[in-house]
Amino acid sequence: MNLTVFGIGYVGLVQAAVLAEVGHQVVCVDIDVKKVERLNQGLIPIFEPGLENLVKENHAAGRIKFTTDAAAAVKHGQIQMIAVGTPPGEDGSADLKYVLAVAEAIGREMAAPKIVVGKSTVPVGTCEKIKAKIAATLKARGREDLTFDVASNPEFLKEGSAVADCMKPDRIIVGTGSEDTEAVMRELYAPFNRNHEKMIVMDVRSAEFTKYAANCMLATKISFMNEMANLAEELGADIEEVRKGIGSDPRIGYHFIYPGLGYGGSCFPKDVRALIKTAEGVKFDAKLLRAVEERNNEQKSVLFDKVNRYFKGNLKGKTFALWGLAFKPNTDDMREAPARVLMEALWKAGAKVQAYDPEAMQECQAIYGLREDLLLCGTKEAAMRGADALMIATEWKNFQAPSFDAIKDALSTPIIFDGRNLYDPKVITRYGIEYHSIGRMAA
């Protein structure tokens, strides 16, 4: 099938590449000229396991193309997929200006019937706004004879495993009231729906809401577990043992119950805030969602608070090694990352940071630039040299089995503040290293 994807960001690029991989002809359009040029040169703007080869191979085969030409892109696709960003506004609500700008472009350029698919995470009722914008644009052109439909098809990709999630989706949500649109969407996703039925068809508003509800449910699990971790410390319990105990209950499960420094990234923080604002718009008091957000905001300061208490508030002039900058492993994304809150609090207290991350170093440089109190190091070992303590903010695999002897030798004070509970406190103690983690007594 011929498919057009508006927006070559995280969602759009991954979805486009995977659809091209199964044989669809995909044209990706973006207003960022430099991004389009780089993609046509084989330079991928984000780190995601498996994505680079997927894009390069399908681009070389002619199944995926990148352009800034909206008119040509609209002409190409029977399906017009909108995957542009919906950044939070000042009040936390989702900003739909990019989504509606695409809708206007489709209405302005289309010359044949189209199916418009909302892929971006958008508030309930957005597809109706897209439909109204296209209809108004067609009316202004005097082309009300052109037919189109608008469907919702939210993404459920996890950064760090997005390609795999896209190739083998748990479910494919399609919101439409049209049998014709449903048939086209089934054809589009047929290669991913062979093993067993994964497509769930519902009304448009329910599909839009499903995305928000899913992300907010996962965010709730994270905030709940972090609250239990903080309480466990006060009660003298070990949250890691508690996690195993409750995770063994199939009604709870082991996913998303790891205590830590809170959630970050491009989805959970934004979507929780957006649903809170949506609730306010219908005069519904989203008490639980507000508590989830409050706990998460506070959790990002937990590691700094532990360090500050340990050094009795005297952090000025001290140097801290930091392992991990990205908000989670297998990505270079630092949006709303706990590491940012931690570093900024340390700097404010007069401390210096020596940081290492396998993928997010360039992103960190782009965010903070050159500063005397930040040294980006080429290895995790280099980050520890002469540091007063080691702090861990991201659970990268190559942090999970370090040389504890090397850690002890490198640090001026043999102490680890672990925001991801990577190590066994009993093992750390045997090496003569003091260990502070989340939801466990200090070892």
Side-chain angles (χ1 to χ4, degrees):
M1 299 179 70
N2 287 350
L3 171 75
T4 296
V5 178
F6 280 88
I8 320 177
Y10 191 87
V11 173
L13 184 57
V14 173
Q15 184 68 80
V18 169
L19 288 170
E21 175 70 8
V22 298
H24 296 302
Q25 298 293 316
V26 186
V27 169
C28 298
V29 58
D30 201 288
I31 60 173
D32 189 331
V33 176
K34 290 184 179 179
K35 180 188 287 186
V36 169
E37 288 177 351
R38 287 195 296 268
L39 281 163
N40 281 320
Q41 294 166 6
L43 302 174
I44 312 304
I46 58 174
F47 172 75
E48 179 64 35
L51 181 60
E52 183 173 358
N53 287 341
L54 204 62
V55 172
K56 287 183 176 179
E57 289 171 6
N58 283 283
H59 186 258
R63 288 189 296 270
I64 187 169
K65 298 178 181 179
F66 304 100
T67 183
T68 58
D69 188 343
V74 172
K75 182 179 180 180
H76 169 80
Q78 175 190 5
I79 296 175
Q80 303 284 307
M81 190 171 283
I82 302 177
V84 295
T86 53
E90 291 185 6
D91 63 352
S93 61
D95 189 342
L96 299 178
K97 63 183 177 184
Y98 301 116
V99 171
L100 295 178
V102 172
E104 184 176 9
I106 293 170
R108 183 177 64 248
E109 304 295 348
M110 64 182 285
K114 303 289 181 183
I115 294 175
V116 180
V117 175
K119 198 74 181 174
S120 304
T121 300
V122 293
V124 175
T126 298
C127 282
E128 294 166 16
K129 293 179 180 179
I130 293 171
K131 193 170 187 176
K133 175 64 74 172
I134 294 174
T137 307
L138 288 174
K139 184 177 181 179
R141 289 176 56 200
R143 292 304 310 269
E144 293 171 275
D145 58 304
L146 291 173
T147 60
F148 69 95
D149 190 32
V150 180
S152 175
N153 175 217
E155 53 82 19
F156 295 94
L157 309 180
K158 300 184 294 292
E159 290 192 46
S161 61
V163 172
D165 291 342
C166 219
M167 292 295 290
K168 296 181 179 180
D170 296 320
R171 73 285 205 198
I172 303 167
I173 303 293
V174 174
T176 182
S178 165
E179 291 183 1
D180 291 341
T181 296
E182 179 182 338
V184 172
M185 295 300 288
R186 286 191 179 278
E187 182 181 349
L188 177 70
Y189 285 117
F192 312 97
N193 203 36
R194 296 183 65 190
N195 182 265
H196 63 274
E197 181 59 59
K198 298 177 182 178
M199 186 170 286
I200 303 172
V201 181
M202 58 185 71
D203 65 276
V204 173
R205 283 187 163 236
S206 295
E208 291 172 323
F209 189 50
T210 296
K211 170 62 178 179
Y212 275 109
N215 277 358
C216 288
M217 178 64 195
L218 296 174
T220 299
K221 290 185 74 173
I222 294 169
S223 283
F224 172 82
M225 204 61 189
N226 284 331
E227 185 146 301
M228 292 302 100
N230 298 339
L231 183 57
E233 280 191 27
E234 298 298 325
L235 298 174
D238 185 336
I239 196 62
E240 288 299 322
E241 298 302 323
V242 174
R243 178 183 63 80
K244 297 171 189 174
I246 66 173
S248 61
D249 186 331
R251 296 171 301 174
I252 298 173
Y254 291 104
H255 294 296
F256 285 84
I257 61 168
Y258 287 90
L261 300 179
Y263 55 78
S266 62
C267 295
F268 288 4
K270 173 176 70 70
D271 293 350
V272 171
R273 292 180 201 131
L275 194 53
I276 290 171
K277 294 306 296 185
T278 295
E280 290 175 358
V282 293
K283 301 190 184 319
F284 179 82
D285 186 4
K287 296 178 182 178
L288 179 58
L289 293 180
R290 287 191 284 106
V292 166
E293 182 181 36
E294 182 180 358
R295 166 53 56 210
N296 193 64
N297 290 339
E298 292 180 5
Q299 197 69 20
K300 291 182 180 182
S301 298
V302 164
L303 208 60
F304 173 79
D305 292 340
K306 289 177 181 289
V307 173
N308 199 40
R309 283 196 302 270
Y310 180 85
F311 288 99
K312 298 180 171 55
N314 184 24
L315 300 181
K316 188 173 182 180
K318 287 187 165 44
T319 299
F320 294 95
L322 176 61
W323 286 2
L325 294 166
F327 86 94
K328 65 180 289 188
N330 296 322
T331 180
D332 59 354
D333 195 345
M334 286 184 66
R335 285 175 287 184
E336 308 237 16
R340 295 180 63 171
V341 175
L342 176 59
M343 286 194 296
E344 289 166 14
L346 288 169
W347 294 332
K348 187 176 181 181
K352 296 181 180 180
V353 175
Q354 296 177 173
Y356 169 75
D357 187 285
E359 294 295 339
M361 306 285 273
Q362 186 173 344
E363 180 66 12
C364 186
Q365 185 80 69
I367 293 170
Y368 293 111
L370 297 174
R371 35 186 312 151
E372 294 182 356
D373 49 11
L374 173 63
L375 176 63
L376 296 175
C377 302
T379 65
K380 64 181 188 289
E381 290 79 15
M384 293 189 294
R385 289 174 192 154
D388 291 286
L390 169 62
M391 312 178 76
I392 301 172
T394 313
E395 62 276 31
W396 285 94
K397 282 189 176 180
N398 66 350
F399 297 165
Q400 295 179 17
S403 167
F404 294 116
D405 284 328
I407 290 175
K408 186 177 179 181
D409 291 342
L411 298 174
S412 60
T413 308
I415 182 168
I416 298 174
F417 294 92
D418 182 1
R420 297 299 175 183
N421 290 2
L422 296 186
Y423 311 128
D424 183 338
K426 294 178 182 177
V427 172
I428 299 288
T429 302
R430 289 204 302 267
Y431 284 89
I433 299 173
E434 189 169 346
Y435 185 58
H436 296 260
S437 53
I438 306 296
R440 299 184 289 186
M441 300 301 291

